[in-house]
Amino acid sequence: MSKTATKTAVVSGEQKLHAAQKPASLDVSTDWIWTYQEEPHRTRRHQIIKAHPEVTKLCGHEPLTKWVVLLVVSIQVATSYFVRDYSPLSWQFLLAAYVIGATANQNLFLAIHEISHNLAFRSPILNRLLAIVANLPIGIPYSASFRPYHLIHHKALGVEGLDTDLPTRFEAIFLDSVLGKAFFATFQIFFYALRPMMVFQIPMTKLHLLNVIVQIAFDVVIYKTMGGNALMYFLISAFLAGSLHPCAGHFIAEHYIFEKHLDTPTSSDPNILAAETYSYYGPLNFFTYNVGYHNEHHDFPAIPWSRLHKLKTIAAEFYDPLPYHSSWSWVIWEFITSKDLSLWSRVKREQSKKVTTAAWTKEEIGDVDEVPSKKTL
């Protein structure tokens, strides 16, 4: 079950001024939850830095990340070797792919997410190369494309036509049923992989080409040395990592509006910034680079996974009142079965309106020039 912490936060006058308007209705309908206000993370970031300037010392790279990546890549290669003689339809193969492979590949998805913010090395190019290494057991090259789309998601949270984390109207209309939502949750890895290219395309770069070449070379080596089943293990693991797997619950938990299912501050306390992002503080963060600390991550994308809990502790008066999930598995179940939740349950901003996005430093996102704007696409 999901819940919120006790509402005893110290709320500043500035926070009252920026308190978000409550949408007129959160009923499942044929439209999104529209807002014309800036996303809440920029406001909260400024408030936290003003109240606790020491949080900026948490920013920087985490040297442990590269070793975790190499360990998980090694685990996946070793497991693919051990299952190479089993049929992909056998219970032994599928159990290994679900329990070990999907968990490991979800970890690698989120390693790439972490690395996209230049949080593994000081050097941008070393971060790009490590992301390509993390990509290897996933079987399909995507790390080079993920970064620009993801940084735009941060810079333009909820902005229609820019934030490719948002479902399209086509998805929302045709999957607006229990069966449709079950289909979406089962195959969401494909939606997240294909949707960005349908919203807008980013230019091909030498990094994309390197990503493709290295991935194909790795796949060929695996196929030649261990056989097709070993390669199939990687692909099935990647599919299950983005399907009905507990760790995959974070995809839905992060930004879908669960207001009717949580005792949210926006329901009764006008002083708290409206929730467009939900955190999760449970044990699965151990496998997922603390991606559950999602409000904290959006507030300070320059703080690595290993120090997000310190941010929450230091700025407790800002985070304790916010609604949070305590189970990603519950999130998936509730999303599928509840009539009040659907792909429409997302906050959107029109690109044509004046939307203030986060003013990041170069250290926060690395090479700012690599992030394309809509005008250049």
Side-chain angles (χ1 to χ4, degrees):
M1 182 60 66
S2 299
K3 52 191 177 184
T4 66
T6 305
K7 303 173 189 173
T8 57
V10 177
V11 182
S12 68
E14 181 184 1
Q15 196 168 7
K16 293 180 181 180
L17 292 175
H18 287 279
Q21 296 174 345
K22 185 175 179 180
S25 173
L26 293 182
D27 292 333
V28 173
S29 62
T30 56
D31 205 355
W32 320 101
I33 303 166
W34 289 97
T35 182
Y36 300 110
Q37 296 180 311
E38 67 176 13
E39 51 88 10
H41 300 289
R42 176 179 181 272
T43 300
R44 187 162 52 239
R45 175 163 61 250
H46 290 172
Q47 293 171 352
I48 291 175
I49 292 175
K50 182 178 180 180
H52 303 284
E54 67 273 22
V55 299
T56 58
K57 296 180 180 179
L58 299 175
C59 299
H61 75 291
E62 171 52 70
L64 181 61
T65 300
K66 59 181 176 293
W67 302 117
V68 177
V69 168
L70 293 176
L71 173 62
V72 176
V73 168
S74 299
I75 289 172
Q76 279 294 75
V77 172
T79 307
S80 70
Y81 175 82
F82 286 117
V83 302
R84 71 192 188 284
D85 294 327
Y86 289 98
S87 166
L89 297 179
S90 66
W91 69 266
Q92 296 97 329
F93 187 101
L94 293 175
L95 183 63
Y98 188 84
V99 175
I100 301 174
T103 305
N105 272 9
Q106 185 63 247
N107 176 275
L108 293 172
F109 289 158
L110 294 167
I112 292 170
H113 164 263
E114 184 77 6
I115 297 165
S116 72
H117 292 284
N118 287 340
L119 295 178
F121 296 99
R122 288 189 178 92
S123 166
I125 187 60
L126 290 180
N127 282 284
R128 308 297 174 270
L129 295 176
L130 183 62
I132 291 175
V133 173
N135 196 153
L136 294 176
I138 295 169
I140 298 173
Y142 92 99
S143 66
S145 296
F146 172 81
R147 183 173 186 267
Y149 282 120
H150 180 66
L151 296 185
I152 292 173
H153 162 65
H154 273 268
K155 294 283 285 184
L157 181 66
V159 178
E160 187 173 36
L162 286 178
D163 184 359
T164 57
D165 187 69
L166 293 166
T168 63
R169 183 168 291 273
F170 177 86
E171 294 171 56
I173 292 173
F174 286 95
L175 300 177
D176 193 12
S177 66
V178 171
L179 288 178
K181 291 185 291 181
F183 180 87
F184 174 79
T186 303
F187 297 97
Q188 60 183 316
I189 189 67
F190 295 113
F191 289 93
Y192 281 99
L194 299 176
R195 182 194 301 141
M197 295 180 290
M198 296 180 180
V199 175
F200 66 87
Q201 295 183 350
I202 58 176
M204 189 78 170
T205 66
K206 292 180 181 178
L207 183 65
H208 290 83
L209 183 59
L210 178 63
N211 188 191
V212 171
I213 291 173
V214 171
Q215 188 64 57
I216 291 176
F218 176 81
D219 291 349
V220 169
V221 169
I222 293 295
Y223 181 81
K224 293 290 186 180
T225 58
M226 291 191 281
N229 286 353
L231 184 58
M232 187 64 68
Y233 166 79
F234 292 143
L235 298 175
I236 292 177
S237 295
F239 167 73
L240 293 174
S243 184
L244 300 177
H245 188 279
C247 289
H250 80 88
F251 290 121
I252 297 172
E254 289 165 358
H255 296 295
Y256 281 83
I257 303 302
F258 275 71
E259 178 159 339
K260 285 192 173 183
H261 302 256
L262 303 170
D263 183 21
T264 63
T266 51
S267 297
S268 57
D269 188 346
N271 297 326
I272 304 299
L273 294 169
E276 296 182 32
T277 303
Y278 295 79
S279 289
Y280 158 82
Y281 302 116
L284 293 182
N285 278 308
F286 176 80
F287 301 102
T288 57
Y289 286 90
N290 283 334
V291 75
Y293 287 75
H294 216 66
N295 267 302
E296 295 82 351
H297 169 65
H298 269 266
D299 290 351
F300 291 89
I303 296 180
W305 61 275
S306 58
R307 299 196 280 273
L308 288 172
H309 70 284
K310 295 181 180 179
L311 169 64
K312 182 179 185 296
T313 299
I314 293 171
E317 72 271 26
F318 291 91
Y319 292 116
D320 286 351
L322 297 178
Y324 64 90
H325 295 293
S326 57
S327 169
W328 280 339
S329 297
W330 176 86
V331 166
I332 295 174
W333 173 259
E334 192 72 1
F335 175 78
I336 292 173
T337 60
S338 174
K339 294 181 180 179
D340 297 324
L341 292 168
S342 73
L343 277 76
W344 295 109
S345 304
R346 292 291 299 266
V347 172
K348 273 196 175 186
R349 296 172 171 81
E350 290 185 10
Q351 188 184 352
S352 59
K353 301 294 182 181
K354 183 179 179 180
V355 177
T356 304
T357 55
W360 293 354
T361 64
K362 189 170 184 178
E363 287 72 22
E364 284 181 294
I365 62 173
D367 301 323
V368 179
D369 292 339
E370 290 184 17
V371 185
S373 66
K374 187 73 173 180
K375 295 179 180 179
T376 62
L377 297 173

